[in-house]
mmCIF file of all heavy atoms in Angstrom:
data_model
loop_
_atom_site.group_PDB
_atom_site.id
_atom_site.type_symbol
_atom_site.label_atom_id
_atom_site.label_comp_id
_atom_site.label_asym_id
_atom_site.label_seq_id
_atom_site.Cartn_x
_atom_site.Cartn_y
_atom_site.Cartn_z
ATOM 1 N N ILE D 7 -7.499 -7.885 11.780
ATOM 2 C CA ILE D 7 -7.340 -6.497 11.357
ATOM 3 C C ILE D 7 -8.686 -5.800 11.444
ATOM 4 O O ILE D 7 -9.741 -6.393 11.181
ATOM 5 C CB ILE D 7 -6.766 -6.407 9.934
ATOM 6 C CG1 ILE D 7 -6.382 -4.965 9.584
ATOM 7 C CG2 ILE D 7 -7.718 -6.995 8.902
ATOM 8 C CD1 ILE D 7 -5.577 -4.847 8.290
ATOM 9 N N SER D 8 -8.659 -4.536 11.862
ATOM 10 C CA SER D 8 -9.877 -3.738 11.918
ATOM 11 C C SER D 8 -9.507 -2.288 11.629
ATOM 12 O O SER D 8 -8.329 -1.919 11.642
ATOM 13 C CB SER D 8 -10.560 -3.860 13.279
ATOM 14 O OG SER D 8 -9.703 -3.401 14.314
ATOM 15 N N ARG D 9 -10.538 -1.490 11.362
ATOM 16 C CA ARG D 9 -10.268 -0.104 11.003
ATOM 17 C C ARG D 9 -11.361 0.797 11.538
ATOM 18 O O ARG D 9 -12.496 0.374 11.742
ATOM 19 C CB ARG D 9 -10.150 0.051 9.494
ATOM 20 C CG ARG D 9 -11.408 -0.348 8.746
ATOM 21 C CD ARG D 9 -11.130 -0.525 7.266
ATOM 22 N NE ARG D 9 -10.911 0.737 6.578
ATOM 23 C CZ ARG D 9 -10.584 0.837 5.304
ATOM 24 N NH1 ARG D 9 -10.400 -0.260 4.590
ATOM 25 N NH2 ARG D 9 -10.422 2.009 4.737
ATOM 26 N N ASP D 10 -10.995 2.044 11.752
ATOM 27 C CA ASP D 10 -11.946 3.092 12.132
ATOM 28 C C ASP D 10 -11.826 4.166 11.056
ATOM 29 O O ASP D 10 -10.882 4.959 11.056
ATOM 30 C CB ASP D 10 -11.594 3.644 13.507
ATOM 31 C CG ASP D 10 -12.600 4.657 14.012
ATOM 32 O OD1 ASP D 10 -13.227 5.336 13.174
ATOM 33 O OD2 ASP D 10 -12.753 4.779 15.227
ATOM 34 N N ASN D 11 -12.765 4.163 10.140
ATOM 35 C CA ASN D 11 -12.670 5.089 8.996
ATOM 36 C C ASN D 11 -12.735 6.547 9.440
ATOM 37 O O ASN D 11 -12.071 7.404 8.859
ATOM 38 C CB ASN D 11 -13.790 4.796 8.000
ATOM 39 C CG ASN D 11 -13.572 3.497 7.273
ATOM 40 O OD1 ASN D 11 -12.439 3.090 7.020
ATOM 41 N ND2 ASN D 11 -14.658 2.815 6.939
ATOM 42 N N ALA D 12 -13.529 6.816 10.455
ATOM 43 C CA ALA D 12 -13.666 8.200 10.915
ATOM 44 C C ALA D 12 -12.338 8.741 11.444
ATOM 45 O O ALA D 12 -12.068 9.934 11.346
ATOM 46 C CB ALA D 12 -14.736 8.282 11.986
ATOM 47 N N LYS D 13 -11.538 7.858 11.998
ATOM 48 C CA LYS D 13 -10.259 8.280 12.579
ATOM 49 C C LYS D 13 -9.079 7.972 11.661
ATOM 50 O O LYS D 13 -7.937 8.241 12.031
ATOM 51 C CB LYS D 13 -10.047 7.583 13.922
ATOM 52 C CG LYS D 13 -11.069 7.943 14.992
ATOM 53 C CD LYS D 13 -10.754 7.224 16.300
ATOM 54 C CE LYS D 13 -11.738 7.597 17.380
ATOM 55 N NZ LYS D 13 -11.472 6.882 18.669
ATOM 56 N N ASN D 14 -9.350 7.407 10.484
ATOM 57 C CA ASN D 14 -8.248 7.003 9.608
ATOM 58 C C ASN D 14 -7.225 6.162 10.361
ATOM 59 O O ASN D 14 -6.010 6.399 10.274
ATOM 60 C CB ASN D 14 -7.560 8.235 9.000
ATOM 61 C CG ASN D 14 -8.176 8.650 7.688
ATOM 62 O OD1 ASN D 14 -7.727 9.577 7.032
ATOM 63 N ND2 ASN D 14 -9.239 7.985 7.274
ATOM 64 N N THR D 15 -7.737 5.201 11.094
ATOM 65 C CA THR D 15 -6.888 4.360 11.940
ATOM 66 C C THR D 15 -7.127 2.899 11.602
ATOM 67 O O THR D 15 -8.265 2.492 11.356
ATOM 68 C CB THR D 15 -7.182 4.618 13.429
ATOM 69 O OG1 THR D 15 -6.949 6.003 13.719
ATOM 70 C CG2 THR D 15 -6.284 3.769 14.312
ATOM 71 N N VAL D 16 -6.062 2.130 11.605
ATOM 72 C CA VAL D 16 -6.164 0.691 11.388
ATOM 73 C C VAL D 16 -5.456 -0.014 12.535
ATOM 74 O O VAL D 16 -4.449 0.475 13.050
ATOM 75 C CB VAL D 16 -5.562 0.286 10.022
ATOM 76 C CG1 VAL D 16 -4.088 0.619 9.928
ATOM 77 C CG2 VAL D 16 -5.821 -1.176 9.720
ATOM 78 N N TYR D 17 -6.022 -1.133 12.946
ATOM 79 C CA TYR D 17 -5.523 -1.875 14.093
ATOM 80 C C TYR D 17 -5.155 -3.307 13.674
ATOM 81 O O TYR D 17 -5.671 -3.838 12.695
ATOM 82 C CB TYR D 17 -6.584 -1.952 15.186
ATOM 83 C CG TYR D 17 -7.132 -0.617 15.624
ATOM 84 C CD1 TYR D 17 -8.300 -0.125 15.060
ATOM 85 C CD2 TYR D 17 -6.493 0.148 16.585
ATOM 86 C CE1 TYR D 17 -8.819 1.111 15.447
ATOM 87 C CE2 TYR D 17 -6.994 1.376 16.978
ATOM 88 C CZ TYR D 17 -8.158 1.847 16.409
ATOM 89 O OH TYR D 17 -8.661 3.073 16.800
ATOM 90 N N LEU D 18 -4.292 -3.902 14.464
ATOM 91 C CA LEU D 18 -3.973 -5.319 14.279
ATOM 92 C C LEU D 18 -3.935 -5.957 15.655
ATOM 93 O O LEU D 18 -3.014 -5.692 16.444
ATOM 94 C CB LEU D 18 -2.627 -5.505 13.566
ATOM 95 C CG LEU D 18 -2.283 -6.954 13.223
ATOM 96 C CD1 LEU D 18 -3.237 -7.491 12.153
ATOM 97 C CD2 LEU D 18 -0.832 -7.070 12.743
ATOM 98 N N GLN D 19 -4.945 -6.772 15.934
ATOM 99 C CA GLN D 19 -4.964 -7.529 17.187
ATOM 100 C C GLN D 19 -4.245 -8.844 16.950
ATOM 101 O O GLN D 19 -4.626 -9.617 16.067
ATOM 102 C CB GLN D 19 -6.405 -7.792 17.623
ATOM 103 C CG GLN D 19 -6.529 -8.616 18.880
ATOM 104 C CD GLN D 19 -5.994 -7.908 20.108
ATOM 105 O OE1 GLN D 19 -6.257 -6.717 20.312
ATOM 106 N NE2 GLN D 19 -5.249 -8.622 20.947
ATOM 107 N N MET D 20 -3.210 -9.079 17.732
ATOM 108 C CA MET D 20 -2.383 -10.270 17.557
ATOM 109 C C MET D 20 -2.477 -11.134 18.811
ATOM 110 O O MET D 20 -2.062 -10.703 19.890
ATOM 111 C CB MET D 20 -0.933 -9.867 17.297
ATOM 112 C CG MET D 20 -0.759 -8.925 16.117
ATOM 113 S SD MET D 20 0.968 -8.580 15.713
ATOM 114 C CE MET D 20 1.481 -7.682 17.174
ATOM 115 N N ASN D 21 -3.043 -12.307 18.653
ATOM 116 C CA ASN D 21 -3.170 -13.268 19.749
ATOM 117 C C ASN D 21 -2.345 -14.510 19.446
ATOM 118 O O ASN D 21 -2.001 -14.763 18.290
ATOM 119 C CB ASN D 21 -4.631 -13.653 19.951
ATOM 120 C CG ASN D 21 -5.514 -12.475 20.308
ATOM 121 O OD1 ASN D 21 -5.080 -11.531 20.981
ATOM 122 N ND2 ASN D 21 -6.751 -12.512 19.844
ATOM 123 N N GLY D 22 -2.056 -15.281 20.468
ATOM 124 C CA GLY D 22 -1.304 -16.506 20.255
ATOM 125 C C GLY D 22 0.034 -16.278 19.581
ATOM 126 O O GLY D 22 0.427 -17.037 18.698
ATOM 127 N N LEU D 23 0.741 -15.244 20.011
ATOM 128 C CA LEU D 23 1.986 -14.883 19.330
ATOM 129 C C LEU D 23 3.043 -15.974 19.465
ATOM 130 O O LEU D 23 3.133 -16.658 20.501
ATOM 131 C CB LEU D 23 2.504 -13.558 19.879
ATOM 132 C CG LEU D 23 1.775 -12.332 19.334
ATOM 133 C CD1 LEU D 23 1.967 -11.121 20.223
ATOM 134 C CD2 LEU D 23 2.230 -12.035 17.918
ATOM 135 N N LYS D 24 3.814 -16.114 18.389
ATOM 136 C CA LYS D 24 4.870 -17.125 18.304
ATOM 137 C C LYS D 24 6.208 -16.436 18.074
ATOM 138 O O LYS D 24 6.241 -15.326 17.527
ATOM 139 C CB LYS D 24 4.587 -18.090 17.162
ATOM 140 C CG LYS D 24 3.235 -18.775 17.215
ATOM 141 C CD LYS D 24 3.009 -19.618 15.969
ATOM 142 C CE LYS D 24 1.652 -20.302 16.011
ATOM 143 N NZ LYS D 24 1.405 -21.130 14.790
ATOM 144 N N PRO D 25 7.304 -17.080 18.437
ATOM 145 C CA PRO D 25 8.618 -16.465 18.171
ATOM 146 C C PRO D 25 8.805 -16.081 16.702
ATOM 147 O O PRO D 25 9.447 -15.063 16.411
ATOM 148 C CB PRO D 25 9.602 -17.552 18.610
ATOM 149 C CG PRO D 25 8.859 -18.304 19.670
ATOM 150 C CD PRO D 25 7.418 -18.316 19.218
ATOM 151 N N GLU D 26 8.238 -16.843 15.793
ATOM 152 C CA GLU D 26 8.382 -16.525 14.374
ATOM 153 C C GLU D 26 7.595 -15.296 13.933
ATOM 154 O O GLU D 26 7.716 -14.870 12.794
ATOM 155 C CB GLU D 26 8.002 -17.730 13.506
ATOM 156 C CG GLU D 26 6.656 -18.337 13.836
ATOM 157 C CD GLU D 26 6.771 -19.540 14.757
ATOM 158 O OE1 GLU D 26 7.555 -19.477 15.747
ATOM 159 O OE2 GLU D 26 6.072 -20.544 14.518
ATOM 160 N N ASP D 27 6.786 -14.748 14.832
ATOM 161 C CA ASP D 27 6.100 -13.487 14.542
ATOM 162 C C ASP D 27 7.006 -12.279 14.812
ATOM 163 O O ASP D 27 6.622 -11.142 14.519
ATOM 164 C CB ASP D 27 4.835 -13.354 15.390
ATOM 165 C CG ASP D 27 3.784 -14.384 15.042
ATOM 166 O OD1 ASP D 27 3.581 -14.627 13.836
ATOM 167 O OD2 ASP D 27 3.167 -14.933 15.981
ATOM 168 N N THR D 28 8.171 -12.521 15.370
ATOM 169 C CA THR D 28 9.104 -11.433 15.663
ATOM 170 C C THR D 28 9.517 -10.730 14.378
ATOM 171 O O THR D 28 9.969 -11.362 13.424
ATOM 172 C CB THR D 28 10.347 -11.971 16.385
ATOM 173 O OG1 THR D 28 9.962 -12.484 17.661
ATOM 174 C CG2 THR D 28 11.393 -10.884 16.561
ATOM 175 N N ALA D 29 9.309 -9.422 14.343
ATOM 176 C CA ALA D 29 9.604 -8.638 13.142
ATOM 177 C C ALA D 29 9.309 -7.166 13.425
ATOM 178 O O ALA D 29 8.733 -6.831 14.462
ATOM 179 C CB ALA D 29 8.753 -9.108 11.964
ATOM 180 N N VAL D 30 9.690 -6.340 12.475
ATOM 181 C CA VAL D 30 9.221 -4.961 12.467
ATOM 182 C C VAL D 30 7.924 -4.927 11.662
ATOM 183 O O VAL D 30 7.894 -5.417 10.527
ATOM 184 C CB VAL D 30 10.251 -4.001 11.868
ATOM 185 C CG1 VAL D 30 9.704 -2.580 11.828
ATOM 186 C CG2 VAL D 30 11.557 -4.058 12.651
ATOM 187 N N TYR D 31 6.882 -4.383 12.259
ATOM 188 C CA TYR D 31 5.583 -4.328 11.626
ATOM 189 C C TYR D 31 5.337 -2.925 11.069
ATOM 190 O O TYR D 31 5.514 -1.924 11.782
ATOM 191 C CB TYR D 31 4.498 -4.707 12.625
ATOM 192 C CG TYR D 31 4.442 -6.186 12.888
ATOM 193 C CD1 TYR D 31 5.474 -6.839 13.563
ATOM 194 C CD2 TYR D 31 3.388 -6.972 12.417
ATOM 195 C CE1 TYR D 31 5.447 -8.203 13.787
ATOM 196 C CE2 TYR D 31 3.344 -8.339 12.631
ATOM 197 C CZ TYR D 31 4.369 -8.953 13.321
ATOM 198 O OH TYR D 31 4.341 -10.307 13.536
ATOM 199 N N TYR D 32 4.912 -2.881 9.809
ATOM 200 C CA TYR D 32 4.698 -1.623 9.107
ATOM 201 C C TYR D 32 3.232 -1.460 8.717
ATOM 202 O O TYR D 32 2.619 -2.391 8.182
ATOM 203 C CB TYR D 32 5.548 -1.551 7.846
ATOM 204 C CG TYR D 32 7.022 -1.577 8.083
ATOM 205 C CD1 TYR D 32 7.740 -2.772 8.102
ATOM 206 C CD2 TYR D 32 7.733 -0.389 8.266
ATOM 207 C CE1 TYR D 32 9.096 -2.793 8.315
ATOM 208 C CE2 TYR D 32 9.105 -0.401 8.482
ATOM 209 C CZ TYR D 32 9.783 -1.606 8.506
ATOM 210 O OH TYR D 32 11.135 -1.624 8.711
ATOM 211 N N CYS D 33 2.730 -0.284 8.948
ATOM 212 C CA CYS D 33 1.392 0.075 8.511
ATOM 213 C C CYS D 33 1.466 0.589 7.070
ATOM 214 O O CYS D 33 2.432 1.253 6.695
ATOM 215 C CB CYS D 33 0.857 1.156 9.430
ATOM 216 S SG CYS D 33 -0.718 1.861 8.971
ATOM 217 N N ASN D 34 0.427 0.306 6.288
ATOM 218 C CA ASN D 34 0.387 0.715 4.886
ATOM 219 C C ASN D 34 -1.006 1.206 4.519
ATOM 220 O O ASN D 34 -2.005 0.581 4.908
ATOM 221 C CB ASN D 34 0.784 -0.462 3.994
ATOM 222 C CG ASN D 34 0.630 -0.180 2.520
ATOM 223 O OD1 ASN D 34 -0.232 -0.738 1.851
ATOM 224 N ND2 ASN D 34 1.469 0.686 1.996
ATOM 225 N N VAL D 35 -1.060 2.307 3.813
ATOM 226 C CA VAL D 35 -2.333 2.824 3.295
ATOM 227 C C VAL D 35 -2.155 3.112 1.811
ATOM 228 O O VAL D 35 -1.228 3.836 1.420
ATOM 229 C CB VAL D 35 -2.763 4.117 4.025
ATOM 230 C CG1 VAL D 35 -4.011 4.700 3.370
ATOM 231 C CG2 VAL D 35 -3.030 3.829 5.498
ATOM 232 N N VAL D 36 -3.029 2.533 1.018
ATOM 233 C CA VAL D 36 -2.985 2.719 -0.432
ATOM 234 C C VAL D 36 -4.208 3.514 -0.864
ATOM 235 O O VAL D 36 -5.339 3.161 -0.525
ATOM 236 C CB VAL D 36 -2.971 1.361 -1.165
ATOM 237 C CG1 VAL D 36 -2.964 1.581 -2.677
ATOM 238 C CG2 VAL D 36 -1.770 0.535 -0.733
ATOM 239 N N THR D 37 -3.961 4.614 -1.579
ATOM 240 C CA THR D 37 -5.051 5.393 -2.134
ATOM 241 C C THR D 37 -5.007 5.314 -3.648
ATOM 242 O O THR D 37 -4.157 4.647 -4.233
ATOM 243 C CB THR D 37 -4.956 6.865 -1.690
ATOM 244 O OG1 THR D 37 -3.888 7.501 -2.413
ATOM 245 C CG2 THR D 37 -4.704 6.972 -0.194
ATOM 246 N N TYR D 38 -5.900 6.028 -4.295
ATOM 247 C CA TYR D 38 -5.901 6.059 -5.756
ATOM 248 C C TYR D 38 -4.636 6.723 -6.292
ATOM 249 O O TYR D 38 -4.260 6.527 -7.456
ATOM 250 C CB TYR D 38 -7.119 6.810 -6.265
ATOM 251 C CG TYR D 38 -8.429 6.090 -6.022
ATOM 252 C CD1 TYR D 38 -9.327 6.543 -5.069
ATOM 253 C CD2 TYR D 38 -8.760 4.953 -6.746
ATOM 254 C CE1 TYR D 38 -10.522 5.884 -4.845
ATOM 255 C CE2 TYR D 38 -9.958 4.285 -6.522
ATOM 256 C CZ TYR D 38 -10.826 4.758 -5.569
ATOM 257 O OH TYR D 38 -12.011 4.108 -5.340
ATOM 258 N N TRP D 39 -3.998 7.547 -5.462
ATOM 259 C CA TRP D 39 -2.879 8.334 -5.943
ATOM 260 C C TRP D 39 -1.549 8.047 -5.259
ATOM 261 O O TRP D 39 -0.489 8.349 -5.805
ATOM 262 C CB TRP D 39 -3.192 9.839 -5.746
ATOM 263 C CG TRP D 39 -4.552 10.198 -6.199
ATOM 264 C CD1 TRP D 39 -4.926 10.431 -7.479
ATOM 265 C CD2 TRP D 39 -5.717 10.352 -5.392
ATOM 266 N NE1 TRP D 39 -6.278 10.713 -7.509
ATOM 267 C CE2 TRP D 39 -6.788 10.678 -6.250
ATOM 268 C CE3 TRP D 39 -5.972 10.241 -4.021
ATOM 269 C CZ2 TRP D 39 -8.079 10.896 -5.794
ATOM 270 C CZ3 TRP D 39 -7.259 10.452 -3.561
ATOM 271 C CH2 TRP D 39 -8.293 10.785 -4.449
ATOM 272 N N ASP D 40 -1.604 7.508 -4.033
ATOM 273 C CA ASP D 40 -0.382 7.399 -3.234
ATOM 274 C C ASP D 40 -0.328 6.065 -2.499
ATOM 275 O O ASP D 40 -1.326 5.354 -2.359
ATOM 276 C CB ASP D 40 -0.297 8.537 -2.212
ATOM 277 C CG ASP D 40 -0.035 9.873 -2.853
ATOM 278 O OD1 ASP D 40 1.062 10.042 -3.430
ATOM 279 O OD2 ASP D 40 -0.920 10.741 -2.787
ATOM 280 N N ASN D 41 0.861 5.802 -1.978
ATOM 281 C CA ASN D 41 1.102 4.606 -1.182
ATOM 282 C C ASN D 41 1.911 5.051 0.044
ATOM 283 O O ASN D 41 3.059 5.470 -0.101
ATOM 284 C CB ASN D 41 1.878 3.578 -1.998
ATOM 285 C CG ASN D 41 1.994 2.243 -1.295
ATOM 286 O OD1 ASN D 41 1.435 2.026 -0.225
ATOM 287 N ND2 ASN D 41 2.748 1.329 -1.886
ATOM 288 N N TYR D 42 1.296 4.988 1.226
ATOM 289 C CA TYR D 42 1.932 5.507 2.434
ATOM 290 C C TYR D 42 2.405 4.354 3.321
ATOM 291 O O TYR D 42 1.739 3.327 3.432
ATOM 292 C CB TYR D 42 0.949 6.357 3.247
ATOM 293 C CG TYR D 42 0.407 7.552 2.519
ATOM 294 C CD1 TYR D 42 -0.859 7.529 1.953
ATOM 295 C CD2 TYR D 42 1.167 8.715 2.396
ATOM 296 C CE1 TYR D 42 -1.379 8.623 1.298
ATOM 297 C CE2 TYR D 42 0.661 9.825 1.731
ATOM 298 C CZ TYR D 42 -0.614 9.768 1.191
ATOM 299 O OH TYR D 42 -1.113 10.872 0.531
ATOM 300 N N TRP D 43 3.552 4.585 3.986
ATOM 301 C CA TRP D 43 4.094 3.602 4.917
ATOM 302 C C TRP D 43 4.404 4.279 6.249
ATOM 303 O O TRP D 43 4.843 5.434 6.286
ATOM 304 C CB TRP D 43 5.392 2.997 4.367
ATOM 305 C CG TRP D 43 5.190 2.088 3.202
ATOM 306 C CD1 TRP D 43 5.261 2.405 1.886
ATOM 307 C CD2 TRP D 43 4.880 0.684 3.258
ATOM 308 N NE1 TRP D 43 5.010 1.288 1.120
ATOM 309 C CE2 TRP D 43 4.769 0.224 1.931
ATOM 310 C CE3 TRP D 43 4.675 -0.224 4.304
ATOM 311 C CZ2 TRP D 43 4.479 -1.109 1.623
ATOM 312 C CZ3 TRP D 43 4.386 -1.541 3.986
ATOM 313 C CH2 TRP D 43 4.286 -1.969 2.667
ATOM 314 N N GLY D 44 4.199 3.530 7.322
ATOM 315 C CA GLY D 44 4.620 3.995 8.630
ATOM 316 C C GLY D 44 6.094 3.718 8.840
ATOM 317 O O GLY D 44 6.751 3.094 8.004
ATOM 318 N N GLN D 45 6.595 4.144 9.989
ATOM 319 C CA GLN D 45 8.020 4.006 10.269
ATOM 320 C C GLN D 45 8.367 2.630 10.823
ATOM 321 O O GLN D 45 9.541 2.263 10.887
ATOM 322 C CB GLN D 45 8.472 5.090 11.261
ATOM 323 C CG GLN D 45 8.143 4.804 12.731
ATOM 324 C CD GLN D 45 6.687 4.965 13.082
ATOM 325 O OE1 GLN D 45 5.860 5.396 12.262
ATOM 326 N NE2 GLN D 45 6.343 4.648 14.334
ATOM 327 N N GLY D 46 7.359 1.888 11.209
ATOM 328 C CA GLY D 46 7.567 0.541 11.725
ATOM 329 C C GLY D 46 7.583 0.500 13.244
ATOM 330 O O GLY D 46 8.027 1.450 13.903
ATOM 331 N N THR D 47 7.096 -0.611 13.781
ATOM 332 C CA THR D 47 7.139 -0.834 15.224
ATOM 333 C C THR D 47 7.621 -2.268 15.476
ATOM 334 O O THR D 47 7.176 -3.197 14.812
ATOM 335 C CB THR D 47 5.767 -0.580 15.878
ATOM 336 O OG1 THR D 47 5.875 -0.712 17.299
ATOM 337 C CG2 THR D 47 4.694 -1.540 15.371
#
């Protein structure tokens, strides 16, 4: 996992993928006031 604070962007580099990694992946951002979720990929 890595992030670019200036762009408010977070990344997930996934190597050596396995069939058990199959899923919908959701991004999450937690602030002092809110909890945000992406729509999933």
Side-chain angles (χ1 to χ4, degrees):
I7 190 170
S8 61
R9 60 195 288 176
D10 185 331
N11 289 328
K13 296 181 179 179
N14 270 183
T15 301
V16 62
Y17 306 95
L18 185 68
Q19 177 66 44
M20 304 185 294
N21 299 327
L23 282 160
K24 304 175 180 180
E26 51 263 44
D27 294 318
T28 295
V30 178
Y31 284 69
Y32 297 91
C33 174
N34 174 249
V35 175
V36 178
T37 74
Y38 291 108
W39 313 279
D40 290 295
N41 188 5
Y42 300 101
W43 290 94
Q45 79 286 355
T47 184

